[in-house]
Amino acid sequence: MITKYVRRFARNTVGIDYAVGDIHGCFAALEIELAKIRFDERVDRLFSVGDLVDRGPQSDTAVEWISKPWFHAVQGNHEDMAIRYVEPGNRDRDHYMMTGGAWLIEKPRYAQVMIADALAELPYAIEVETDGGLVGIVHADVHGKSWSDMVQAFACADSGTKLRRITNSVLWNRDRIQDEDHSGVPDMRAVVVGHTPLKRPAALGNVYHIDTGGWLRGGSFTFLRLDDLQPSTPASHELNWEGA
Ligand SMILES: [Mn+2]
């Protein structure tokens, strides 16, 4: 069952699929790192775990990126904050300012609405078909006990309150990484998440945490290949799995 909140992609038969962690407006740095792994826009695809905006210098570029045919993102909590900031009656200005929202707050109303509308088109979850089975992508974590539980919950979310209950975990939950929970997600080959910056990518069961802070000073982007679930990194970076 697929809803507007969950998008499915068929297997890439011509190129390589990668997932990348939080970007936070660092699109220039991302482009440099993509060139190093010889990313080929003609055949490869890049799946983003969300948090495209806030904090970094090029949040504006997010809208341009989500229209690229090879770039596919889920919403992160920062997209959610941006969308909610633009909703009528929002009183969260100070909080959003503190979490990096100045780039949006300072824009004229019509521009804010255009950006929020574009971000709201992003799904909360992406499923990618690979030779080894389905790989799921969400920003923070799966809601419920399995991927299909979450998809079912999205399908039944007929009110803002119900949707909010699901997105609270999908966009924000850090329990799995904080509790070092290796139980994994039973009905998927793998699930890829970001949201919690780590020194090295970490695999907890079949859940791959890949926000290695490409947007932070001293951090770098991890590109996880979805076919073999191995990180592609420029040769100059030594990366080891933690907690595998
Ligand atoms: Mn986040």
Side-chain angles (χ1 to χ4, degrees):
M1 192 187 324
I2 299 293
T3 72
K4 65 173 174 167
Y5 304 125
V6 183
R7 202 162 291 166
R8 168 82 68 103
F9 289 84
R11 196 166 65 92
N12 185 348
T13 55
V14 289
I16 302 170
D17 283 346
Y18 300 93
V20 68
D22 302 21
I23 298 167
H24 282 305
C26 294
F27 289 98
L30 177 62
E31 268 181 337
I32 290 168
E33 296 303 302
L34 281 171
K36 288 186 191 164
I37 61 162
R38 298 191 169 77
F39 183 87
D40 184 347
E41 298 176 5
R42 293 165 303 179
V43 290
D44 298 340
R45 299 186 296 195
L46 184 63
F47 292 93
S48 151
V49 301
D51 276 7
L52 307 173
V53 297
D54 301 344
R55 298 191 169 135
Q58 299 114 19
S59 288
D60 276 325
T61 314
V63 173
E64 206 177 290
W65 272 65
I66 59 184
S67 69
K68 292 179 191 286
W70 47 266
F71 183 75
H72 307 286
V74 293
Q75 277 188 46
N77 57 305
H78 281 264
E79 280 69 54
D80 189 60
M81 285 192 279
I83 294 162
R84 294 223 265 171
Y85 173 75
V86 175
E87 280 170 4
N90 183 289
R91 292 179 199 86
D92 248 4
R93 188 180 187 282
D94 291 348
H95 178 254
Y96 189 44
M97 190 68 131
M98 266 170 47
T99 50
W103 69 279
L104 185 64
I105 290 168
E106 287 160 5
K107 283 190 193 308
R109 174 80 190 158
Y110 76 92
Q112 293 174 341
V113 171
M114 273 177 52
I115 291 165
D117 286 352
L119 298 177
E121 289 293 308
L122 298 174
Y124 292 110
I126 282 177
E127 304 175 338
V128 187
E129 294 171 358
T130 71
D131 281 345
L134 266 191
V135 175
I137 296 165
V138 286
H139 181 60
D141 208 343
V142 171
H143 172 78
K145 288 188 167 51
S146 65
W147 187 269
S148 53
D149 268 11
M150 175 182 71
V151 174
Q152 177 74 33
F154 273 128
C156 299
D158 52 6
S159 70
T161 317
K162 281 186 190 165
L163 184 62
R164 183 56 48 198
R165 268 197 56 215
I166 307 165
T167 57
N168 274 344
S169 31
V170 170
L171 301 177
W172 293 93
N173 189 3
R174 288 200 166 99
D175 291 350
R176 188 184 302 273
I177 188 85
Q178 280 170 356
D179 302 347
E180 296 182 45
D181 172 1
H182 287 246
S183 60
V185 178
D187 53 349
M188 295 295 272
R189 177 187 176 210
V191 172
V192 184
V193 302
H195 189 50
T196 304
L198 304 170
K199 284 210 175 70
R200 296 186 187 86
L204 273 73
N206 64 345
V207 180
Y208 292 74
H209 296 253
I210 61 162
D211 179 11
T212 44
W215 50 281
L216 284 166
R217 195 185 300 268
S220 66
F221 287 108
T222 293
F223 299 101
L224 182 76
R225 292 193 303 265
L226 300 188
D227 58 350
D228 61 2
L229 299 171
Q230 291 300 311
S232 267
T233 48
S236 55
H237 291 262
E238 280 235 351
L239 275 170
N240 296 301
W241 289 104
E242 215 166 59

